[in-house]
Amino acid sequence: MYQPAYLLTFTTYGTWLRGDARGSRRHGQRVVPSSLVLEHERSLLKYPPFVLDQAQRDVVTFAIEDYCSKKNQNLSALSVLSSHVHAVVTGASIEPGMMLNGFKSRATLLLRNSWELPLERRIWTRGGSVLGLHSERAVSSAVAYVVRHYWSI
C-alpha cells in the first residue's frame, strides 16, 4: 500500500532571489530571470546571503537525520547544498509543512549553537516547497533528483 511521500525543499537566506538566472516558480508559472528584479531583491536584503560551508552542511544533515529519527520518519534521500536543502520523506505521518518547519528549526538551533550566530541573523528564507509524491515512480524520480540532481518524470 502506498504511503504519503514528499519532496521538501528550502533555501538559505538571500541565495535564491526573484530574477535569479536559475529561475523560480510563482503560482505554477515560471518567472523569467531579470537583472533589474534581481538587483531590486538584493537591495531589500537586511543581511548578506547565508551560504553554508561544508561544516555547516554537515550540521544541517545531522539535524535533519536526527529530526527524522526522533519523529520516526523515513528519510529516503537528503542533499544539503550551500544554498538549499532537498529531502525526500516516505511513509510520512507528520503534515509536510510541519516537517519542513521542524527541519529548519532543528538545523537553526544547531547552527546557532555551533557558530554563535546572532538571533536576528536570518539563516533560511521563509517557507519552502512541499511536493506531494503520489506514486512509487514519483518517489523514485524524486530520490534520483536529490541524489543525482536529475528529474525524470
Side-chain angles (χ1 to χ4, degrees):
M1 184 173 132
Y2 178 74
Q3 297 280 323
Y6 303 96
L7 170 61
L8 307 171
T9 302
F10 54 99
T11 58
T12 59
Y13 178 80
T15 60
W16 203 304
L17 303 172
R18 287 187 317 127
D20 188 291
R22 294 170 289 191
S24 62
R25 294 196 180 272
R26 240 209 233 287
H27 308 295
Q29 299 295 317
R30 188 131 177 100
V31 176
V32 178
S34 163
S35 60
L36 291 175
V37 172
L38 184 58
E39 286 307 312
H40 175 71
E41 290 289 311
R42 283 186 181 138
S43 74
L44 298 175
L45 293 176
K46 293 181 180 179
Y47 306 99
F50 195 92
V51 178
L52 298 167
D53 64 26
Q54 187 58 56
Q56 292 167 329
R57 291 168 61 189
D58 292 343
V59 166
V60 173
T61 298
F62 172 81
I64 293 171
E65 289 172 344
D66 185 58
Y67 177 91
C68 286
S69 175
K70 287 182 173 154
K71 300 289 186 178
N72 295 315
Q73 300 303 293
N74 183 28
L75 183 62
S76 296
L78 176 63
S79 181
V80 179
L81 304 168
S82 60
S83 63
H84 62 289
V85 176
H86 292 295
V88 176
V89 179
T90 55
S93 60
I94 298 173
E95 194 271 324
M98 288 180 61
M99 198 176 333
L100 182 81
N101 289 337
F103 288 176
K104 290 166 72 174
S105 295
R106 181 81 173 121
T108 298
L109 176 67
L110 295 180
L111 287 169
R112 287 198 195 287
N113 288 343
S114 299
W115 279 270
E116 298 180 8
L117 300 169
L119 288 176
E120 65 275 3
R121 177 61 164 106
R122 302 265 323 263
I123 296 172
W124 312 108
T125 54
R126 287 192 184 105
S129 170
V130 174
L131 178 64
L133 305 171
H134 303 291
S135 69
E136 292 301 326
R137 182 173 177 218
V139 171
S140 295
S141 290
V143 167
Y145 173 73
V146 169
V147 172
R148 298 188 277 288
H149 305 293
Y150 174 76
W151 189 264
S152 64
I153 272 192

